[in-house]
Amino acid sequence: MTIVLSAPRETSKKGKTPAQIINKYLDDHYCLELLRFFGTYPLAKFSELAIIHAQNDDSEKSRIRGALGRLVMNRMVGVCIENGNHLYKLTDNDSVHDSIISLAKIEWRQWRKILGEGNGSKPL
């Protein structure tokens, strides 16, 4: 399934657009939600617990942790240690950083279509 967005078609040095990022994580609803979260707060750093609470999904802690790990491994999200605490933040790679911010600016109605909600199908 390929997603076409009306969001800015910014292309990074590596050729990543917000649509390409979405397509890469289309199989993982949690990754997409986390990318949108980090794109909304691009300069902030969060503990794992804060991220889980922000997703309002304490019952799915392991799936959120798994998605967070996937995003870290793919260098979409970075980890830093401050005062012995692991904090997560949006990547420092400028081109990917900017694409994720563009992704977060997609309006809610369009975002629901991406996730398969509102058209009779189940969310991913």
Side-chain angles (χ1 to χ4, degrees), residues 107-123:
E107 65 181 50
W108 181 242
R109 186 178 75 248
Q110 200 170 17
W111 190 250
R112 287 188 62 203
K113 286 181 185 178
I114 291 167
L115 296 178
E117 299 172 6
N119 62 5
S121 64
K122 293 183 179 180

Side-chain angles (χ1 to χ4, degrees), residues 11-65:
T11 302
S12 68
K13 294 175 186 173
K14 292 185 179 182
K16 293 283 184 193
T17 65
Q20 289 169 322
I21 291 172
I22 287 173
N23 286 327
K24 181 174 182 172
Y25 296 103
L26 197 56
D27 66 327
D28 192 334
H29 170 81
Y30 293 95
C31 281
L32 290 174
E33 287 294 336
L34 288 174
L35 287 172
R36 184 173 177 161
F37 172 75
F38 282 106
T40 303
Y41 306 101
L43 301 176
K45 299 173 188 172
F46 300 95
S47 69
E48 182 180 271
L49 186 59
I51 294 166
I52 291 169
H53 285 296
Q55 297 300 305
N56 292 322
D57 208 346
D58 283 333
S59 63
E60 295 292 338
K61 287 180 187 177
S62 64
R63 294 188 75 181
I64 294 170
R65 284 184 179 121

Side-chain angles (χ1 to χ4, degrees), residues 26 83 87 91 123:
L26 197 56
N83 296 324
L87 300 176
T91 182

Side-chain angles (χ1 to χ4, degrees), residues 59-113:
S59 63
E60 295 292 338
K61 287 180 187 177
S62 64
R63 294 188 75 181
I64 294 170
R65 284 184 179 121
L68 190 57
R70 182 178 176 191
L71 293 174
V72 169
M73 286 181 58
N74 290 323
R75 297 187 176 158
M76 305 299 273
V77 172
V79 181
C80 61
I81 300 174
E82 292 183 6
N83 296 324
N85 296 311
H86 287 79
L87 300 176
Y88 298 87
K89 62 185 184 119
L90 193 54
T91 182
D92 289 330
N93 179 316
D94 289 337
S95 57
V96 175
H97 188 274
D98 294 344
S99 291
I100 294 172
I101 291 171
S102 294
L103 172 73
K105 291 179 182 176
I106 296 170
E107 65 181 50
W108 181 242
R109 186 178 75 248
Q110 200 170 17
W111 190 250
R112 287 188 62 203
K113 286 181 185 178

